[in-house]
Amino acid sequence: MPQVHGAVRDALDYLARVLDVELNSATDNPLIFPEGGAAGADVAATGGGLVISGGNFHGEPIALALDFAKLAIAELGAISERRVALLLDARLNGGLPPFLAPASGLNSGMMLLQYTAAALASENKVLVHPASADSIPTSANQEDHVSMGPIAGRHARDVLANVERILAIELLVGAQALDLRLAMVGGAASGTSGASPVAGASPVPGASPAPAPAPGRGVAEAHRRIRSVVSPLLVDREMGADIAAALALVRGGELADLVGTGDAARSESG
């Protein structure tokens, strides 16, 4: 994932740098410098100042950066949807029930959540077409090449909204999978799951029982926050409210403090 997530962050950092430069740049056309120069001292309209006309209003730098950013954000959603799909597939999820339904066969579990994530990821594939690749003349061909930056911005906003929902779905699916996995390995550790013991193994005299399996502190805290707003899925229910609750966590940055970089993050997460 770092190869994908890191590339996404690099793209967003590039957008931030471009926006910082462009928001602090002069966009007047023409630019007039009062110290004089090429215009000539006898040009009354400019008071003898230097005049430079160069289309400084053009939005191409921002348009290109926004197109790059929306493509990167869409990739974040695409790989999230793939993680969701793997957790729901009983052939690939390491023994969890199909679609993470505790009563599989009677219930559809989280199947439709993956449908939703897949639909959003597919919509993003249309939205990431570069708006800046297009241009159409306006104003009697006075403006004969335009950036289409506003369209790139609107599409980037739509892609971001879709990816926020995909990530919210991944939170729901991940929490459900963790609940089921802990129940599975906890039962195996206590001998209540029906699993066969290792052949030839026997208890070690005086040995303390193994501690119950548990996730790391960061994962456990993320799970706690998710479960504070969404209950586990035991039987099928309409999940619109669940998605909305998880989406609020994503948009509010409620899990962001659990993620960091470098030695500080590793020490905090244990």
Side-chain angles (χ1 to χ4, degrees):
M1 289 191 297
Q3 293 79 5
V4 176
H5 291 189
V8 171
R9 297 185 69 151
D10 287 345
L12 297 180
D13 286 345
Y14 173 72
L15 172 62
R17 291 196 302 271
V18 170
L19 290 175
D20 185 57
V21 169
E22 295 303 316
L23 288 173
N24 288 283
S25 64
T27 58
D28 295 331
N29 193 58
L31 296 176
I32 301 175
F33 298 88
E35 62 269 19
D42 58 340
V43 180
T46 65
L50 174 63
V51 178
I52 301 177
S53 180
N56 302 297
F57 51 82
H58 207 294
E60 193 78 358
I62 294 178
L64 290 172
L66 283 169
D67 277 336
F68 185 23
K70 71 181 184 182
L71 176 60
I73 296 169
E75 282 296 276
L76 196 63
I79 197 170
S80 175
E81 183 278 327
R82 286 293 80 203
R83 291 191 295 265
V84 167
L86 291 176
L87 282 173
L88 297 182
D89 191 335
R91 299 169 300 175
L92 302 170
N93 65 12
L96 295 175
F99 306 111
L100 304 183
S104 179
L106 298 176
N107 294 275
S108 297
M110 293 190 160
M111 177 178 67
L112 291 180
L113 288 185
Q114 192 265 330
Y115 282 32
T116 304
L120 293 169
S122 292
E123 181 182 2
N124 283 345
K125 295 172 186 177
V126 177
L127 293 171
V128 297
H129 177 82
S132 57
D134 187 27
S135 179
I136 188 167
T138 56
S139 188
N141 283 303
Q142 177 69 22
E143 298 177 9
D144 62 343
H145 182 274
V146 294
S147 70
M148 299 296 183
I151 297 175
R154 294 203 316 272
H155 286 175
R157 179 186 60 193
D158 292 343
V159 169
L160 176 60
N162 286 346
V163 171
E164 287 175 334
R165 286 176 170 81
I166 295 172
L167 294 176
I169 288 170
E170 185 178 7
L171 291 182
L172 297 175
V173 171
Q176 180 83 357
L178 183 58
D179 288 333
L180 294 170
R181 179 69 69 197
L182 290 176
M184 177 187 297
V185 297
S190 63
T192 60
S193 67
S196 299
V198 178
S202 59
V204 177
S208 300
R217 284 186 294 176
V219 172
E221 178 59 19
H223 180 267
R224 185 193 68 78
R225 296 182 193 182
I226 295 167
R227 282 289 168 255
S228 70
V229 295
V230 179
S231 61
L233 182 67
L234 302 179
V235 295
D236 283 355
R237 64 173 182 255
E238 198 281 318
M239 300 199 70
D242 297 41
I243 296 175
L247 181 60
L249 293 178
V250 173
R251 288 183 170 170
E254 300 299 328
L255 305 178
D257 63 301
L258 302 177
V259 181
T261 57
D263 294 335
R266 284 192 290 271
S267 64
E268 290 173 4
S269 64

